[in-house]
């Protein structure tokens, strides 16, 4: 089968040609927005941040983020799932907004993670991976 020539080098020219500085700025705005949303809409993430004595208001730079926000582990997720099935306390949206559920394979031997996605989540993943 012959290799097809790409019509363009870019999936999204505007995103893929922006400066590193602008990309970092947009990424940080997304992180701030995400922290605000999960802090106010998810008991699990609010408790996770409280353990670190952090709130979204404390995060104003990338350095704040890397130094103040604790890493979320598979053990944290599995523990929450065991106590609060099926969608757990992590879910930051109403159940009726769930569009797809993804379950990990469990090959780590630590259990399977359940991840509920909205249609917007799935679209973002598609855009990131350039699936069309």
């Amino acid at each position: 089968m012959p290799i097809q020539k790409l019509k363009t080098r870019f999936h999204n020219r505007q995103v893929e040609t922006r400066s590193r500085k602008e990309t970092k700025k947009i990424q940080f705005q997304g992180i701030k927005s995400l922290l605000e949303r999960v802090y106010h809409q998810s008991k699990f993430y609010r408790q996770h941040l409280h353990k670190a004595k952090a709130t979204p208001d404390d995060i104003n730079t990338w350095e704040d983020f890397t130094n103040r926000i604790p890493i979320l582990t598979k053990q944290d997720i599995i523990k929450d799932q065991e106590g609060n099935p099926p969608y757990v306390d992590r879910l930051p949206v109403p159940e009726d907004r769930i569009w797809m559920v993804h379950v990990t394979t469990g090959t780590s031997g630590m259990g399977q993670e359940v991840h509920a996605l909205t249609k917007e989540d799935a679209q973002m993943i598609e855009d990131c991976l350039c699936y069309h």
Side-chain angles (χ1 to χ4, degrees):
M1 174 179 275
I3 297 175
Q4 292 182 345
K5 194 170 186 177
L6 295 176
K7 293 178 185 174
T8 177
R9 289 181 47 195
F10 304 102
H11 171 68
N12 184 330
R13 181 180 288 276
Q14 181 182 0
V15 170
E16 295 173 48
T17 60
R18 100 174 25 121
S19 72
R20 182 161 174 78
K21 182 178 179 181
E22 183 66 14
T23 297
K24 295 292 269 180
K25 178 182 172 188
I26 291 168
Q27 287 173 335
F28 187 75
Q29 290 169 344
I31 290 287
K32 269 295 270 190
S33 175
L34 178 65
L35 285 172
E36 287 285 345
R37 183 167 48 97
V38 299
Y39 183 81
H40 294 291
Q41 297 177 1
S42 167
K43 178 181 173 184
F44 173 81
Y45 289 110
R46 189 170 41 259
Q47 289 174 342
H48 191 68
L49 292 173
H50 282 177
K51 286 181 198 172
K53 297 180 173 60
T55 69
D57 292 337
D58 299 325
I59 310 305
N60 298 302
T61 65
W62 277 111
E63 186 175 333
D64 293 340
F65 177 73
T66 57
N67 292 330
R68 301 285 313 270
I69 303 301
I71 293 173
L72 185 63
T73 66
K74 184 174 184 86
Q75 291 91 347
D76 295 329
I77 293 170
I78 298 299
K79 182 178 176 187
D80 184 53
Q81 286 176 185
E82 289 170 351
N84 306 294
Y87 297 118
V88 301
D89 287 338
R90 289 192 329 267
L91 192 63
V93 297
E95 269 190 58
D96 64 354
R97 292 223 23 237
I98 295 172
W99 190 68
M100 176 190 323
V101 175
H102 168 75
V103 180
T104 62
T105 62
T107 56
S108 71
M110 299 172 65
Q112 293 178 290
E113 299 170 43
V114 176
H115 298 279
L117 304 174
T118 64
K119 190 168 187 172
E120 295 81 10
D121 295 330
Q123 180 64 53
M124 187 234 4
I125 291 167
E126 179 180 297
D127 287 345
C128 288
L129 299 174
C130 301
Y131 290 152
H132 286 279

